[in-house]
Amino acid sequence: MPKPKTIPPFTTEEAADLYARLSEIRPDPRTELDYTSPFTLVVAVALSAQATDVGVNKATKGLFAAADTPEKMVALGEDGIRERIKTIGLFRNKAKNVHALSKRIIEEFGGEVPKSREALESLPGVGRKTANVVLNEAFGEPTIAVDTHIFRVSNRTGLAPGKTPLEVEKRLEAITPADFMKGAHHWLILHGRYVCKARKPDCPNCAIADLCRFDAKTPA
């Protein structure tokens, strides 16, 4: 039985070319989640697990109108949070986590969202991906949060193949030039969301199709 084809990862120079092209399409890439502060960003990203950004934004519109600080969120209570986010998946557990992380931010971090990955990951419902998003988007840190879109794009194109999100993250960090680190997460996630889609990638309209190692490209 023949061995599966090994896709060679991109070199730093090839990665620079890829990011340069994506940056021309989206010069100022940003998250599509609505937020007004590091705190509301933490909450929005925590709520986005297994939910769409559009769905999260609909839910947080009312939630943040009622509680846009940790103090207000704790005062709203788990029941109040749950009532406002019940349109998104796993809303019961997410309401519990949002209430708990808000309380933790007040008690352990003086009401301010911490700026380190370790501290962020200590918050209920916040994992490495969420921490990386907050560090990048709210605090300008050169982190790359590997979600399903970035994992797919990195493996499909050969940009940074890996068996786990952490492995992909480390490879992306190794080959992404410093000038592109701040925007890399957003360029890749938006490319995966709108072009390099899971079921049918839009290869004919892809700006990096000639760099991509994917053999089964969608025909024009």
Side-chain angles (χ1 to χ4, degrees):
M1 184 175 181
K3 293 182 179 180
K5 180 182 177 181
T6 300
I7 300 176
F10 277 42
T11 64
T12 299
E13 291 74 19
E14 289 172 325
D17 189 2
L18 178 147
Y19 288 123
R21 298 187 195 186
L22 296 182
S23 69
E24 288 180 3
I25 299 170
R26 295 184 175 89
D28 187 26
R30 297 176 182 273
T31 180
E32 294 187 321
L33 289 170
D34 293 335
Y35 73 98
T36 57
S37 66
F39 172 70
T40 54
L41 178 63
V42 170
V43 172
V45 180
L47 294 177
S48 69
Q50 298 184 45
T52 66
D53 287 0
V54 172
V56 171
N57 288 339
K58 288 180 179 179
T60 56
K61 184 177 181 180
L63 178 65
F64 294 156
D68 59 357
T69 67
E71 293 80 9
K72 291 178 183 178
M73 197 68 75
V74 170
L76 189 61
E78 191 176 324
D79 289 343
I81 298 169
R82 184 169 57 245
E83 182 63 25
R84 288 168 174 81
I85 66 168
K86 63 184 180 181
T87 56
I88 61 177
L90 308 176
F91 69 92
R92 291 182 178 83
N93 191 55
K94 288 177 180 180
K96 181 179 179 180
N97 284 336
V98 168
H99 186 264
L101 72 83
S102 300
K103 190 174 181 181
R104 181 82 63 84
I105 288 174
I106 295 170
E107 294 175 348
E108 297 190 19
F109 302 104
E112 299 293 329
V113 174
K115 297 182 179 180
S116 75
R117 180 186 285 116
E118 181 180 7
L120 283 166
E121 287 189 52
S122 74
L123 300 175
V126 176
R128 186 180 182 90
K129 184 188 75 173
T130 297
N132 279 342
V133 172
V134 174
L135 290 171
N136 181 279
E137 181 74 17
F139 302 126
E141 295 292 329
T143 56
I144 300 176
V146 179
D147 71 344
T148 55
H149 295 297
I150 295 179
F151 188 79
R152 179 178 66 256
V153 170
S154 296
N155 277 285
R156 179 184 278 168
T157 63
L159 174 63
K163 295 181 179 179
T164 66
L166 183 58
E167 188 176 340
V168 169
E169 179 186 329
K170 294 300 183 183
R171 290 192 177 188
L172 285 172
E173 289 178 343
I175 66 165
T176 300
D179 290 347
F180 295 111
M181 277 296 293
K182 177 64 173 66
H185 162 78
H186 295 301
W187 285 317
L188 294 176
I189 191 173
L190 293 172
H191 186 68
R193 182 173 292 165
Y194 296 114
V195 181
C196 196
K197 294 172 282 191
R199 293 186 178 181
K200 188 177 181 181
D202 190 10
C203 301
N205 294 305
C206 176
I208 59 170
D210 59 314
L211 300 175
C212 176
R213 317 277 205 244
F214 185 54
D215 285 335
K217 289 185 172 65
T218 305

